Amino acid sequence: NHIVFSYWFDSNGKAVKTTDSKVADELKNPDLSWVHLDGSNKNTKKWLEKEVDYLDHLIIEALTANETRPRILKFEHGILLILRGITHSKNIKKSEMVSIRLWIDDERIISIQRRPMKSIFELENNLNNNLNITNSGEFLSNFLNLTINDISEYIYSTGEVIDKIEHEVLV
């Protein structure tokens, strides 16, 4: 399935899981909603072009591109973020970072993975454990904090290895 999961947020910020058949309608409603898509599924781009046709085709192209570089682009009604983070998969080395592509505006968040990112699933878990999010800024803040925490642990442990090697070389 091209839809990994999706939520809409009530007026108190409580996340309510939505069904695949209602995702497109929720994205068009004025309440905050989030859909997380599998970019490796061939139906993802078609679904975006059909169901989220109010997005500029260049944004859809960037969200579904095979190769990406981390960046942030500001548009009149939202932002496009392409970031990297630690993988969710145990079969991939932590040093092999994965990308996440996000479209964020006042009413909707569209995130796309080609491979699972740990912080996206941590955020989903937090939502299921009563984390409330009342706007897209809070969503982004929570997501970035989780992503930075995951990366920081890896960078710190890598720094310790480098320090040890440096010490052995100098002694």
Side-chain angles (χ1 to χ4, degrees), residues 65-77:
N66 285 332
E67 295 297 323
T68 60
R69 292 271 180 232
R71 64 182 181 264
I72 181 171
L73 298 171
K74 184 179 177 195
F75 291 82
E76 185 177 346
H77 299 290

Side-chain angles (χ1 to χ4, degrees), residues 34-114:
W34 174 30
V35 62
H36 184 61
L37 303 167
D38 180 359
S40 62
N41 187 304
K42 63 181 179 183
N43 294 321
T44 297
K45 186 173 182 180
K46 293 175 191 173
W47 185 86
L48 285 169
E49 291 169 341
K50 179 182 177 203
E51 302 295 346
V52 195
D53 59 350
Y54 43 84
L55 282 183
D56 186 288
H57 76 283
L58 294 174
I59 294 169
I60 292 174
E61 289 295 324
L63 288 170
T64 58
N66 285 332
E67 295 297 323
T68 60
R69 292 271 180 232
R71 64 182 181 264
I72 181 171
L73 298 171
K74 184 179 177 195
F75 291 82
E76 185 177 346
H77 299 290
I79 58 172
L80 173 70
L81 287 162
I82 300 174
L83 303 170
R84 297 196 190 231
I86 302 296
T87 183
H88 183 66
S89 174
K90 291 182 170 89
N91 300 331
I92 301 173
K93 294 178 187 177
K94 285 188 175 184
S95 61
E96 189 178 334
M97 298 182 91
V98 296
S99 70
I100 188 83
R101 304 95 193 272
L102 299 110
W103 169 258
I104 300 176
D105 62 35
D106 289 339
E107 294 87 26
R108 69 195 61 82
I109 298 127
I110 300 169
S111 56
I112 298 179
Q113 69 179 31
R114 290 206 171 269

Side-chain angles (χ1 to χ4, degrees), residues 97-152:
M97 298 182 91
V98 296
S99 70
I100 188 83
R101 304 95 193 272
L102 299 110
W103 169 258
I104 300 176
D105 62 35
D106 289 339
E107 294 87 26
R108 69 195 61 82
I109 298 127
I110 300 169
S111 56
I112 298 179
Q113 69 179 31
R114 290 206 171 269
R115 295 182 293 172
M117 180 186 265
K118 183 179 177 194
S119 55
I120 283 288
F121 291 93
E122 288 173 332
L123 181 54
E124 181 194 23
N125 185 54
N126 291 349
L127 291 174
N128 290 326
N129 287 306
N130 300 316
L131 171 68
N132 292 341
I133 293 181
T134 58
N135 60 56
S136 56
E138 281 183 18
F139 174 93
L140 183 58
S141 175
N142 278 279
F143 170 68
L144 290 175
N145 279 328
L146 290 168
T147 302
I148 289 168
N149 284 340
D150 290 341
I151 293 171
S152 295

